Amino acid sequence: MLDQGTAAPATGEDQRSPRPSSGFGGRMMRRKPVERLVAEGGHGEGGTLRRSLGMWQLTMISIGATLGTGIFVVLGDAVPKAGPAVIISFVIAGVTALFSALSYAELAGSIPVSGSSYSYAYATLGELVAWICGWCLILEYGVSVAAVAVGWGQYLNELLDGTIGVTIPGWLANPPGHGGYFNLPALLVVLLCMAFLLGGAKESARANTIMVCVKIAALLLFCAVAFQGIKSGNYKPFMPLGIAGVSHAGASLFFSYIGFDAASTAGEEAKDAQRDLPKAIMLSLLIVTTLYCLVAAVAVGAMPWKQFDGAEAALAGIMKDVTGQSFWAVMLAAGAVIAIASVVLTVLYGQTRILFAMARDGLAPKVFAKVHPKTGVPRANTVIVSLFCGLLAAAIPLDQLADATSIGTLFAFALVNISVIVLRRTRPEMKRSFKVALGPVFPLIGFALCVYNMVNLPGITWLTFAGWMAVGLVIYFLYGMKSSRLAREASETVTLEG
């Protein structure tokens, strides 16, 4: 009998070499067996990833990729959409994330690999859907890194102004269209995180853990100080823009909950992924949602909601207004600089591991699957992704980046919820270290909530998403369909049998 959390032995089709798919549609629907996904875990071109992460490190990766984005950066954009009811928006986004997190926990315990929802879709829904999911994850992670890096520069200026009395000139600290030519701080934080990642997963996790502890301390400090400035009148009217505003803000804030997805990308570098990943995912979501709602409640109570519109480094500004001193604002800005850097570090890590999995399957260029034999790090992958994200952050405004990330995240999460249902039906005998309660009910609720939040995103975001998907489909049909390992192996089978 198998141990809990161990995949069942391959049976039937899973044990055979890939068979030639029948027709054009059959080639797009080919699936990669779960056992093969797990067996290939950690193996890349020229080296292997190192299993060095325990549950604590995985939880810190999840918190690191989540905590900070929605509070330190996006809060100033979300409050004008919902007013004081932004607290409800965080709850809506958190509940949506919860149902998807349950599905992630089940799949992470069953298929502990680096590809996250891309790999889950490959095992359940077929190659075309897996490619679409991977393409969405590239949008989700790459743009998220850029969006958070933009916010980092705002708090860096606040810190510099409060300590040495100088700031980075606007033309060098803002993207085109927002009073500048090039956002240098955004590029610099991405390159700094790239240097950490090149040192190895264990070293990066250690640095991230320190930064996460600092960011939690900074947020608790904010709550303690800003609580003194709360005025009951600031909560009235509580929902000035109606439920539509609350829903719109909630959809945008979902961008702030992608951390547990980042944890699942560490499946091939975890010591015991099947045991630890589900626990890390659920624990991190609980901690993050609690802190988000607490800080949002204090922030809108301490400052009238209309003053959030256009406010940069909003939390630091609240600290200064409440105390009348710059000291506390400087302290918070310092914490935010460290906190946001940890988000960039962990999300950048997730992006490189997803591309690593896609390249191993032949759906992305081989260079992304090359692993340095000494450090166990996909070096070329890390450098290419970092440079791309850094330049994106330096040139694109924050508001456009956040909504683009939200729709990519929601689409990928919706597919994960469907994947749980499909895997339950196709592989009911598989042992799972964690199971979503109530069979297909919770995954279906998670799917519906993801669709609901996607509908509430603005039309321009949908147009951007449609354009991104169109480009992705062209790449798949011209490159991915022919270069995938399953396609090559099926072709070799036909040749041998002929």
Side-chain angles (χ1 to χ4, degrees):
M1 179 171 293
L2 293 170
D3 292 332
Q4 182 78 350
T6 304
T11 58
E13 182 181 353
D14 290 339
Q15 290 180 323
R16 299 194 299 262
S17 298
R19 304 292 298 175
S21 303
S22 57
F24 183 75
R27 293 197 296 273
M28 292 188 294
M29 291 298 294
R30 54 195 166 209
R31 292 179 295 177
K32 189 170 182 179
V34 172
E35 288 74 19
R36 182 170 176 181
L37 281 166
V38 176
E40 291 178 353
H43 297 287
E45 297 283 335
T48 58
L49 302 177
R50 295 177 179 175
R51 293 193 177 274
S52 58
L53 305 178
M55 194 195 80
W56 175 249
Q57 288 89 348
L58 293 171
T59 304
M60 290 299 103
I61 287 174
S62 186
I63 296 176
T66 306
L67 188 59
T69 308
I71 289 297
F72 287 110
V73 180
V74 186
L75 185 64
D77 292 325
V79 172
K81 298 174 184 176
V86 72
I87 304 166
I88 299 177
S89 299
F90 272 111
V91 173
I92 290 173
V95 170
T96 304
L98 172 62
F99 283 100
S100 295
L102 292 170
S103 294
Y104 262 95
E106 177 168 330
L107 292 175
S110 307
I111 315 173
V113 293
S114 290
S116 184
S117 49
Y118 154 77
S119 295
Y120 308 153
Y122 211 165
T124 57
L125 304 175
E127 186 173 281
L128 177 60
V129 178
W131 165 264
I132 292 173
C133 188
W135 190 243
C136 284
L137 289 174
I138 292 173
L139 174 68
E140 170 191 334
Y141 277 87
V143 177
S144 178
V145 168
V148 178
V150 170
W152 186 80
Q154 298 172 1
Y155 278 95
L156 179 63
N157 258 342
E158 187 76 20
L159 178 61
L160 292 174
D161 183 42
T163 52
I164 59 177
V166 299
T167 58
I168 301 172
W171 62 270
L172 197 58
N174 293 295
H178 279 59
Y181 298 102
F182 191 80
N183 193 330
L184 180 62
L187 175 61
L188 290 179
V189 70
V190 175
L191 295 180
L192 177 64
C193 292
M194 178 188 75
F196 275 112
L197 290 174
L198 290 175
K202 186 176 182 180
E203 291 74 13
S204 300
R206 184 181 295 117
N208 173 67
T209 298
I210 295 172
M211 289 189 282
V212 167
C213 291
V214 170
K215 80 166 76 177
I216 292 176
L219 288 174
L220 293 177
L221 173 66
F222 168 81
C223 291
V225 174
F227 182 80
Q228 304 171 46
I230 289 179
K231 298 177 182 177
S232 59
N234 288 340
Y235 293 109
K236 302 175 183 179
F238 185 69
M239 199 180 294
L241 302 175
I243 191 64
V246 173
S247 298
H248 185 195
S252 297
L253 288 171
F254 193 79
F255 153 76
S256 309
Y257 284 90
I258 67 172
F260 59 83
D261 186 280
S264 70
T265 65
E268 295 177 23
E269 289 162 285
K271 295 176 181 178
D272 191 343
Q274 291 176 314
R275 182 195 67 190
D276 294 339
L277 272 177
K279 295 178 182 178
I281 288 171
M282 301 311 300
L283 179 59
S284 64
L285 185 62
L286 175 63
I287 293 172
V288 166
T289 303
T290 300
L291 281 170
Y292 273 167
C293 292
L294 177 62
V295 174
V298 173
V300 295
M303 186 168 81
W305 69 273
K306 290 184 179 180
Q307 294 183 20
F308 280 85
D309 192 12
E312 294 187 352
L315 298 190
I318 292 173
M319 293 275 274
K320 186 181 295 184
D321 291 342
V322 169
T323 63
Q325 303 175 5
S326 61
F327 172 77
W328 295 109
V330 171
M331 289 289 289
L332 184 74
V337 167
I338 296 173
I340 297 172
S342 76
V343 178
V344 175
L345 175 68
T346 48
V347 175
L348 194 63
Y349 167 85
Q351 172 73 97
T352 60
R353 271 41 179 190
I354 289 167
L355 276 171
F356 171 82
M358 294 179 71
R360 185 172 56 200
D361 291 334
L363 296 178
K366 285 185 178 180
V367 65
F368 291 105
K370 290 184 177 179
V371 177
H372 193 273
K374 292 185 178 179
T375 62
V377 173
R379 280 190 174 181
N381 181 343
T382 301
V383 172
I384 293 171
V385 169
S386 299
L387 291 177
F388 173 79
C389 292
L391 293 174
L392 190 67
I396 307 295
L398 170 63
D399 51 354
Q400 297 177 21
L401 291 173
D403 280 351
T405 303
S406 288
I407 197 167
T409 304
L410 287 163
F411 188 85
F413 283 14
L415 290 179
V416 168
N417 285 296
I418 296 300
S419 295
V420 167
I421 298 172
V422 172
L423 194 61
R424 288 272 191 100
R425 289 182 175 274
T426 58
R427 298 296 302 276
E429 82 289 350
M430 180 182 292
K431 296 294 182 179
R432 292 161 169 84
S433 58
F434 177 88
K435 293 187 70 173
V436 181
L438 299 181
V441 176
F442 278 11
L444 285 175
I445 292 175
F447 174 80
L449 287 172
C450 287
V451 173
Y452 172 77
N453 279 278
M454 290 177 72
V455 170
N456 281 287
L457 289 170
I460 185 63
T461 303
W462 277 95
L463 289 175
T464 302
F465 182 64
W468 179 260
M469 294 303 299
V471 172
L473 289 173
V474 169
I475 294 174
Y476 173 74
F477 287 119
L478 294 181
Y479 172 79
M481 178 178 279
K482 297 178 182 178
S483 65
S484 79
R485 287 181 61 190
L486 293 187
R488 295 197 306 268
E489 291 167 3
S491 178
E492 292 170 1
T493 300
V494 171
T495 302
L496 291 174
E497 292 181 351

